[in-house]
């Protein structure tokens, strides 16, 4: 099928109407402050998306701090990258690993508490513009940190910076105070077909 001059004219008129409607909608959006963001759900890409926002923020000259709660000593591409470029962002790994690997609840609680105290320092640091708390949802789900304490602190957080929290099973009380929630859904995953985790894709 070949478009006619009339088709082009109709398309151009439609795009002009859409442009006017979009500009009108944008004009009504005037609020600006730090956002509380949560990436949750069973699908892959929660942390990866957060790291993408970190790179975007760095591109704007913003100061970024990343703290990982769970991954422990596990080597990942993002860890290798940020440790090789410490001038780009603060990157700290404070987890001791997954609970089925540590098999020590007291240790898990101590590690989570230390990570949360460090997280609060990052959030309260006026020099930091964007904080990523990777897998915080997991320790809240496991009860190694009390959700009510974390939610109360985040309610009264400084509104001068963005905070992104990742991990499955986000608590409803956290989602209630969040500005932006994205639920990552799994449609198909190679793990279910017998593939092991792939470098550069999953870690």
């Amino acid at each position: 099928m070949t478009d006619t001059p009339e088709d082009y004219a109709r398309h151009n008129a439609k795009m002009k109407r859409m442009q006017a409607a979009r500009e009108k909608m944008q004009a009504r959006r005037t609020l600006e402050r730090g956002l509380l963001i949560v990436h949750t759900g069973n699908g892959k890409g929660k942390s990866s998306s957060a790291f993408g926002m970190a790179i975007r923020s760095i591109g704007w000259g913003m100061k970024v701090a990343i703290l990982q709660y769970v991954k422990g000593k596990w080597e990942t591409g993002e860890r290798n990258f940020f440790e090789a470029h410490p001038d780009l962002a603060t990157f700290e790994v404070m987890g001791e690993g997954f609970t089925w690997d540590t098999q020590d609840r007291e240790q898990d609680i101590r590690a989570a508490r230390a990570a949360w105290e460090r997280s609060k320092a990052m959030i309260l640091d006026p020099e930091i513009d964007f904080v990523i708390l990777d897998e915080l949802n997991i320790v809240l789900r496991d009860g190694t940190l009390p959700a009510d304490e974390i939610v109360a602190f985040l309610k009264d957080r400084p509104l001068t910076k963005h905070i992104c929290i990742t991990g499955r099973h986000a608590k409803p009380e956290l989602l209630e105070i969040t500005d932006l929630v994205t639920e990552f859904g799994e449609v198909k995953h190679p793990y279910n077909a017998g593939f092991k985790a792939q470098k550069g894709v999953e870690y």
Side-chain angles (χ1 to χ4, degrees):
M1 187 178 93
T2 303
D3 287 341
T4 66
E6 290 77 14
D7 292 326
Y8 291 132
R10 280 194 295 270
H11 173 78
N12 290 346
K14 181 180 178 181
M15 293 303 105
K16 285 179 181 178
R17 291 193 300 272
M18 287 180 63
Q19 182 185 52
R22 180 82 179 169
E23 289 173 352
K24 186 177 180 180
M25 181 178 67
Q26 293 284 19
R28 293 197 297 267
R29 270 62 176 177
T30 58
L31 297 177
E32 187 173 0
R33 64 162 171 79
L35 300 177
L36 181 59
I37 303 161
V38 168
H39 292 172
T40 193
N42 291 328
K44 180 191 156 17
K46 297 177 287 293
S47 297
S48 300
S49 178
F51 296 140
M53 286 195 293
I55 293 171
R56 179 178 288 164
S57 298
I58 291 166
W60 284 108
M62 298 164 70
K63 186 170 181 180
V64 174
I66 301 165
L67 190 145
Q68 291 192 305
Y69 272 80
V70 174
K71 293 191 171 71
K73 307 304 179 188
W74 188 18
E75 183 181 11
T76 63
E78 59 269 18
R79 180 176 181 176
N80 290 342
F81 176 80
F82 285 113
E83 287 183 351
H85 301 87
D87 54 312
L88 294 181
T90 299
F91 189 92
E92 299 183 19
V93 180
M94 296 192 68
E96 296 293 335
F98 295 101
T99 53
W100 57 82
D101 291 325
T102 64
Q103 301 175 23
D104 185 336
R105 183 158 177 80
E106 286 188 17
Q107 176 182 311
D108 294 338
I109 291 172
R110 284 195 304 271
R113 173 55 59 185
W116 175 241
E117 294 304 318
R118 181 65 182 128
S119 299
K120 290 194 291 185
M122 289 175 168
I123 291 169
L124 295 174
D125 186 340
E127 298 298 316
I128 296 175
D129 303 300
F130 185 34
V131 177
I132 295 173
L133 305 179
D134 190 36
E135 307 288 12
L136 173 57
N137 285 334
I138 300 299
V139 299
L140 296 181
R141 177 202 66 186
D142 292 343
T144 46
L145 282 175
D148 56 350
E149 176 188 345
I150 277 66
V151 169
F153 178 86
L154 292 173
K155 272 185 179 178
D156 293 328
R157 72 192 185 279
L159 299 178
T160 54
K161 69 192 68 196
H162 304 304
I163 302 168
C164 182
I165 297 169
T166 74
R168 299 180 182 209
H169 308 293
K171 291 282 188 176
E173 55 266 46
L174 174 62
L175 298 182
E176 188 176 335
I177 66 166
T178 301
D179 299 299
L180 171 60
V181 181
T182 301
E183 184 166 3
F184 290 69
E186 181 179 311
V187 177
K188 191 174 185 180
H189 199 295
Y191 183 82
N192 298 323
F195 287 85
K196 65 180 184 179
Q198 303 290 306
K199 261 183 199 178
V201 177
E202 293 169 281
Y203 69 96

